[in-house]
Amino acid sequence: MPGTATAGGWGSDGKSNGAKTETSGGQSGTDIHSMVRFTGSAQDSGGGRKGNVTPVSDWTPPACWYEPRTAADFQKYVEDMYTETVNYPGQHSYAKTAVGQFRDMYKDGKYKNYNLKEADEGTWWVAVQDPDRWMEPAAQRCNEMPFWVVNGDTPNVPNAVTPRVLAELAYSRLRLPETEVTLAPKNVTKVNLPTWAWLDKAKFKPADVTAQINVGGLHIQATTIAKPVALRLEAGTDDAETYPASGECLINDDGSIGEPWARGKSERTPPCGLKYLRSSGEGTFQLRATVTWEISWTGTGSPGPTRLPDGTFGTTQDVTVQEIQSVNR
């Protein structure tokens, strides 16, 4: 039987490159791609590495879902698939039989001529997989054969596309900047010397992605927004202390995290930072900085922002820790 359709991703290179981006679905050969279109803003215009947000819970965005097709589009998909399969050199007979049975169901069997006479009354709904997750077991759960839905009715299947499902799909396409904190002392610090850490508010602005679909009588959209709320520091060794002790630095009222070091603060305890208790020797410690993002969405029929699970994205950076040398005379 025909496989599940695949969904268009963020872009051909998986990056937003600091500009507005847009992807949309359609048909290429005998494959139907998702008709969900994504637009979003990048974190900054200066480039830099970015990555996908990771939910803090066991929840994950849908790996597959159902979305509508017009009767004409569905007819073309089935007929093109049938023609290509039966005419492909060396094609196995069981594949030809299977695709023939599939075609007969919608052309001359349970349905008549792809319901073209009822084209204004409803749409075909088909299963779609996220192309980046098609190997996951969750992507195989949308195994219903294409089915007809009258306009205005709600499909009785899990993950039928709705504003919330669109918001969850947009969640998986959020691209967040790598978390490289500013340190003082920078990159090279001393044993038992408090090291200040902070993030400039200009580098960590809210990110957003909008997902929408407009097929037949269904025109819905949702925007998913991620806002940075906290920074977690992990020193890369057990022989270290963090400030605060939990390692969790909350966001300030002005959108920054932590506090820049300046002359005159040497005797103060940094509001966000760490202190190494031993040298890194000939190597370095891998300081991991992870930002927690609060994620919510608004969309068609939504009265206001609705929370989705928080997400995190973090990166590591090298820190050299040296012993303080002293000379006794």
Side-chain angles (χ1 to χ4, degrees):
M1 287 299 183
T4 307
T6 58
W10 180 260
S12 60
D13 61 355
K15 298 180 180 179
S16 57
N17 297 322
K20 285 284 185 178
T21 58
E22 181 172 316
T23 60
S24 59
Q27 181 164 329
S28 174
T30 59
D31 293 330
I32 292 184
H33 303 292
S34 174
M35 297 301 291
V36 176
R37 185 173 59 178
F38 301 94
T39 57
S41 58
Q43 275 296 301
D44 56 63
S45 57
R49 294 172 52 194
K50 299 179 178 68
N52 293 96
V53 63
T54 300
V56 298
S57 64
D58 292 336
W59 175 87
T60 58
C64 69
W65 61 95
Y66 297 91
E67 61 181 58
R69 293 290 180 275
T70 65
D73 284 345
F74 183 65
Q75 177 197 35
K76 177 174 173 51
Y77 162 62
V78 176
E79 291 296 329
D80 286 352
M81 177 184 57
Y82 173 78
T83 300
E84 181 175 306
T85 302
V86 298
N87 292 324
Y88 188 82
Q91 184 64 270
H92 291 287
S93 59
Y94 65 78
K96 296 180 181 181
T97 299
V99 76
Q101 292 174 344
F102 180 80
R103 176 180 182 245
D104 289 344
M105 179 187 302
Y106 298 98
K107 187 174 186 297
D108 301 307
K110 180 178 180 180
Y111 304 96
K112 301 299 179 184
N113 198 27
Y114 306 101
N115 282 2
L116 290 174
K117 288 185 177 181
E118 295 82 31
D120 294 333
E121 301 173 13
T123 51
W124 292 102
W125 283 64
V126 298
V128 179
Q129 290 177 334
D130 187 324
D132 295 330
R133 301 175 59 194
W134 68 275
M135 289 292 291
E136 297 180 20
Q140 317 306 319
R141 294 173 185 167
C142 301
N143 54 13
E144 296 285 341
M145 299 286 283
F147 53 92
W148 181 257
V149 178
V150 175
N151 291 336
D153 287 355
T154 301
N156 187 26
V157 292
N159 286 0
V161 69
T162 61
R164 182 178 179 90
V165 169
L166 289 178
E168 293 172 350
L169 297 178
Y171 185 113
S172 65
R173 286 157 178 80
L174 287 166
R175 301 285 292 177
L176 305 176
E178 64 178 357
T179 314
E180 184 170 359
V181 296
T182 304
L183 301 175
K186 183 179 181 180
N187 299 330
V188 179
T189 187
K190 305 296 183 181
V191 173
N192 291 323
L193 177 67
T195 300
W196 292 57
W198 68 92
L199 285 172
D200 189 335
K201 63 180 180 180
K203 294 183 179 180
F204 282 82
K205 300 177 182 178
D208 64 89
V209 172
T210 296
Q212 60 181 306
I213 186 169
N214 186 6
V215 178
L218 184 67
H219 184 194
I220 54 176
Q221 63 86 28
T223 297
T224 299
I225 303 170
K227 297 190 299 183
V229 293
L231 167 70
R232 182 172 185 81
L233 297 177
E234 297 173 86
T237 174
D238 291 336
D239 296 316
E241 298 175 357
T242 57
Y243 307 106
S246 65
E248 187 104 352
C249 306
L250 300 180
I251 193 167
N252 301 320
D253 292 339
D254 66 354
S256 64
I257 299 179
E259 180 183 328
W261 179 86
R263 290 186 179 277
K265 296 182 178 181
S266 299
E267 301 301 320
R268 289 176 48 191
T269 298
C272 180
L274 63 165
K275 179 171 67 176
Y276 287 97
L277 305 180
R278 69 175 177 88
S279 166
S280 60
E282 297 297 322
T284 60
F285 291 127
Q286 292 288 299
L287 170 64
R288 183 167 185 82
T290 302
V291 172
T292 296
W293 299 78
E294 181 181 281
I295 302 178
S296 61
W297 71 275
T298 61
T300 304
S302 174
T306 302
R307 291 287 299 273
L308 290 170
D310 288 350
T312 62
F313 178 60
T315 49
T316 58
Q317 58 196 89
D318 294 334
V319 177
T320 300
V321 183
Q322 300 175 339
E323 294 280 1
I324 298 177
Q325 301 297 322
S326 60
V327 177
N328 296 321
R329 294 185 183 276

